């Protein structure tokens, strides 16, 4: 029975597991996340799944994993104690940042505390000019003195980012050598190896983020490997990157900056695979779990990648439209918008007497009040129990029993009575506010990008996405909703659709009309050789390795650039003309206009994506669970509709013929609500298709 593949996605509330057999059949499982030891929860969950399926550890050939360990380390302030060595005069780049601010007129807004405090930032007397020439050489004794100063401060990792080092890395390499001599084994990152690109703040911030999470991620991956080895599981572990590709656990330990937004990316990859199979080119993916909700745009069958984004920015938007709120990370990432709204989000009353949802969350422990594990503050999950949307005895296939009486009491005491409202109306109000908060994320990737959401279908997944999809689609004017199979573990399923990818970039700033094409070909060739070497080391060569070129360009004098695909084949004047036209089209699509043909276009950086192409098996729905008998229960659909006796069925019971709502579709891992003004049916691939009437 060898050839099984596993997808494992850690969330704030649940850890999701998907096992795929050699013939493509999938089997799913949800277990509570162990916030004290995520790796152990994975090992325990795999052991339980092996027992259920009758598998041996040797049957597993690959484990694909999405994790929040890196992002949590930053958000919770639990990253490594990191020191920074930089050029004299640039000590405060991390605090000065850029002029971008998320809220221009909010005088109370404060920048986030730097990941490296000032007393752990030391400078060296060196200087490389803008053309890569050494103006002031770094003395070896100065390099050692800077390293010793940080070691005396008991740092756990050191980042190095010197001025213009992307052009001349000699001094950074000298400092790296000094660190490795004076503190063997101490985690270190130099900006030339992390991000050899122009812009000092972006390069410094990215290098620091990579460094401060390096020990955390390495420790986690070592623990995971130990647990797997103890269980006799020798299968390799591949990590989902923020950009939608996979990387080995060794590569992730070296450059953890690529796995910061690991989990959300897996869901978008899965949504792209499902939408492609359905023949739907335009889809908005919506992923709502226990703590956050994420949205992304799939246009013409392709998801977009942002070239930078902010970590810990409240609403996380990987775009030009909202920046400056968090810690900037300049690496390719699937363009996502994220808000702090999930099933575990607290429902409270603010000081002005208004109902508020999130961003604080109950998490997995103690969880919502209805979990009966000590929680006292009502959550969105409690609201959905009060409204009749969730079956108290069905969550996670009955593995989680809900105390509906406690949820009712908590909502009545803490929300309804203070607001002088009926408890059902208060719960419905909380549900609506949560939906409004999450609509912000969908607008951030659609209307704020110049896209009309009415031209897209909404694909909803996550443990709570199908509960909210219809109401949100109604407000956005979206007519069609897709609920894919196993929506509650969909991100784990998406892992099984991804490919291994490695991204490389280098600043190469020249006007296209003045470019030396031979020199450009040499520079691009060096990046391609680096990508091929990495892929070959991981077993990808020949037809299983693909090299993709990209280029970042802007009009001369612009601050921001746009990334466009670069054609394969020879690098010559004809190829540069294709690049210029592709940039002009992208500029018009993004900003609504393009300059005249005589406006100089400047190449800012060259990029390469190395892809390792594996065997793809489209995931078939989980067939391990028997169909349940249809039933009904009262559910509340707002003050106009009130309480309605609503049929309750599983996905298989829906059938291929459209059925008018209201309907509640209960599954092992999620619940979907079809309102009275909608109809739903099942397609041949097992997707629930909801159409608003």
């Amino acid at each position: 029975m060898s050839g099984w593949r596993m997808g494992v996605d850690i969330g704030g509330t649940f850890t999701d597991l998907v096992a795929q057999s050699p013939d493509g059949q999938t089997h799913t499982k949800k277990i509570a996340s162990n916030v004290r030891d995520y790796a152990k929860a994975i090992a325990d969950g795999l052991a339980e799944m092996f027992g259920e399926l009758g598998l041996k550890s040797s049957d597993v050939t690959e484990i694909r994993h999405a994790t929040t360990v890196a992002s949590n380390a930053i958000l919770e302030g639990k990253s490594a104690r990191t020191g920074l060595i930089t050029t004299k005069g640039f000590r405060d780049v991390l605090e000065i940042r850029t002029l971008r601010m998320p809220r221009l007129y909010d005088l109370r807004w404060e920048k986030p505390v730097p990941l490296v405090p000032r007393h752990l930032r030391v400078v060296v007397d060196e200087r490389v000019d803008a053309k890569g020439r050494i103006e002031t050489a770094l003395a070896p004794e100065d390099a050692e003195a800077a390293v010793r100063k940080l070691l005396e401060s008991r740092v756990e990792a050191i980042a190095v980012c010197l001025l213009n080092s992307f052009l001349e890395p000699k001094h950074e390499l000298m400092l790296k050598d000094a660190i490795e001599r004076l503190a063997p084994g101490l985690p270190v990152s130099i900006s030339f190896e992390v991000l050899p690109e122009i812009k000092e703040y972006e390069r410094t911030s990215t290098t620091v983020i990579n460094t401060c999470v390096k020990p955390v991620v390495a420790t986690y991956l070592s623990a995971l490997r130990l647990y797997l080895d103890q269980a006799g599981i020798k299968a390799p572990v591949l990590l989902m990157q923020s950009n939608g590709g996979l990387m080995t656990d060794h590569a992730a330990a070296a450059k953890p900056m690529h796995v910061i937004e690991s989990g959300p990316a897996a869901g978008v990859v899965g949504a792209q695979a499902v939408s492609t199979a359905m023949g739907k080119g335009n889809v908005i993916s919506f992923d709502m779990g226990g703590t956050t909700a994420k949205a992304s745009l799939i246009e013409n069958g392709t998801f977009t990648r942002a070239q930078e984004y902010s970590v810990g920015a409240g609403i996380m938007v990987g775009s030009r439209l909202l920046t400056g709120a968090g810690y900037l990370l300049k690496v390719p990432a699937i363009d996502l918008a994220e808000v702090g709204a999930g099933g575990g989000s607290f429902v409270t009353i603010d000081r002005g007497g208004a109902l508020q949802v999130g961003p604080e969350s109950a998490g997995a422990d103690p969880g919502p009040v209805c979990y009966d594990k000590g929680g006292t503050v009502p959550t969105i999950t409690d609201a959905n129990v009060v409204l009749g949307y969730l079956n108290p005895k069905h969550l996670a296939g009955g593995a989680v029993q809900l105390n509906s009486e406690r949820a009712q009491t908590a909502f009545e005491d803490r929300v309804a009575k203070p607001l002088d409202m009926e408890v059902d109306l208060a719960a419905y109000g909380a549900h609506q506010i949560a939906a409004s908060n999450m609509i912000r994320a969908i607008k951030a990737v659609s209307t704020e990008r110049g896209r009309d959401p009415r031209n897209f279908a909404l694909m909803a997944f996550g443990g709570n996405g199908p509960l909210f999809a219809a109401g949100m689609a109604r407000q956005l004017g979206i007519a069609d909703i897709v609920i894919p199979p196993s929506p509650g573990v969909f991100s784990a399923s998406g892992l099984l659709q991804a490919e291994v990818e490695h991204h490389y970039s280098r600043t190469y700033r020249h006007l296209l009309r003045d470019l030396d094409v031979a020199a450009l070909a040499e520079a691009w060739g060096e990046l391609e050789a680096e990508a091929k070497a990495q892929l070959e080391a991981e077993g990808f060569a020949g037809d299983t390795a693909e090299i993709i070129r990209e280029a970042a360009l802007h009009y001369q004098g612009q601050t921001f650039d746009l990334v466009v695909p670069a054609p394969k084949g020879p690098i010559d004047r004809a190829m540069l003309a294709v690049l210029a036209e592709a940039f002009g089209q992208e500029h018009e699509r993004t900003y609504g206009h393009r300059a005249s043909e005589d406006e100089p276009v400047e190449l800012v950086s060259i990029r390469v994506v190395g892809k390792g192409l594996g065997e793809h098996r489209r995931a078939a729905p989980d067939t391990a669970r028997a169909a349940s008998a249809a039933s009904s229960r009262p559910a509340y659909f707002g003050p106009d509709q009130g309480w309605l006796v609503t049929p309750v069925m599983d996905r298989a019971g829906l059938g291929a013929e459209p059925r008018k709502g209201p309907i509640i579709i209960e599954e092992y891992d999620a619940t979907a609500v079809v309102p009275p003004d909608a109809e739903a049916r099942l397609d041949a691939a097992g997707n629930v298709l909801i159409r608003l009437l």
Side-chain angles (χ1 to χ4, degrees), residues 183-228:
L186 188 77
V188 57
S189 299
I190 65 173
S191 71
F192 178 73
E193 294 175 347
V194 170
L195 184 69
E197 292 188 23
I198 197 171
K199 296 185 179 180
E200 294 308 308
Y201 168 64
E202 288 83 347
R203 187 157 46 87
T204 303
S205 179
T206 301
T207 305
V208 164
I209 290 173
N210 188 71
T211 309
C212 70
V213 299
K214 209 171 188 179
V216 178
V217 172
T219 299
Y220 167 74
L221 291 176
S222 296
L224 177 59
R225 186 73 264 172
L226 180 61
Y227 282 126
L228 294 176

Side-chain angles (χ1 to χ4, degrees), residues 12-56:
T13 306
F14 287 103
T15 294
D16 301 333
L17 301 98
V18 173
Q20 188 178 57
S21 66
D23 63 359
Q25 293 297 314
T26 60
H27 307 265
T28 62
K29 187 173 185 63
K30 292 181 81 73
I31 59 173
S33 293
N34 185 339
V35 295
R36 287 174 290 276
D37 194 343
Y38 289 114
K40 188 175 188 307
I42 292 174
D44 292 344
L46 288 174
E48 290 181 25
M49 182 169 268
F50 287 179
E52 294 170 1
L53 298 175
L55 295 177
K56 302 188 300 293

Side-chain angles (χ1 to χ4, degrees), residues 434-457:
S436 297
N437 290 344
M438 294 181 294
I439 284 173
R440 292 167 55 210
I442 293 178
K443 287 183 175 180
V445 298
S446 56
T447 54
E448 292 179 13
R449 305 287 199 280
R451 275 69 168 180
D452 188 341
R454 293 174 297 183
N455 297 329
F456 293 75

Side-chain angles (χ1 to χ4, degrees), residues 312-390:
I315 176 171
M316 192 285 288
V317 183
S319 73
R320 303 161 297 282
L321 300 172
L322 183 62
T323 60
Y327 303 107
L328 190 133
L329 190 58
K330 196 174 191 305
V331 296
I334 290 179
D335 202 358
L336 286 161
E338 180 174 339
V339 293
S345 295
F346 287 144
V347 179
T348 57
I349 299 173
D350 65 19
R351 287 182 294 180
L355 196 62
Q356 180 170 317
V357 175
E360 294 82 9
S361 174
D365 189 10
V369 175
C370 59
Y371 280 20
D372 224 359
K373 294 167 59 178
T376 58
V377 181
T379 67
I380 288 300
T381 293
D382 296 306
N384 289 328
V385 170
V386 171
L387 294 170
Y389 299 160
L390 291 177

Side-chain angles (χ1 to χ4, degrees), residues 92-110:
D92 298 317
V93 163
L94 280 183
E95 286 187 273
I96 295 173
R97 296 157 63 93
T98 64
L99 293 177
R100 303 287 290 182
M101 297 178 65
R103 296 190 292 274
L104 292 178
Y105 306 109
D106 185 352
L107 299 179
R108 296 171 297 176
W109 179 80
E110 295 183 4

Side-chain angles (χ1 to χ4, degrees), residues 281-284 296-300 302-305 319-321 335 439 441-457 476 478 562-563 585-592:
N282 293 343
V283 169
I284 297 173
S296 187
L297 197 77
I298 298 168
E299 190 172 26
N300 297 322
T302 304
F303 53 73
T304 57
R305 287 190 176 106
S319 73
R320 303 161 297 282
L321 300 172
D335 202 358
I439 284 173
I442 293 178
K443 287 183 175 180
V445 298
S446 56
T447 54
E448 292 179 13
R449 305 287 199 280
R451 275 69 168 180
D452 188 341
R454 293 174 297 183
N455 297 329
F456 293 75
L476 290 164
I478 296 174
L562 297 172
V563 176
Q585 292 178 6
E586 181 64 22
H587 195 280
E588 184 169 19
R589 189 179 71 148
T590 303
Y591 298 114

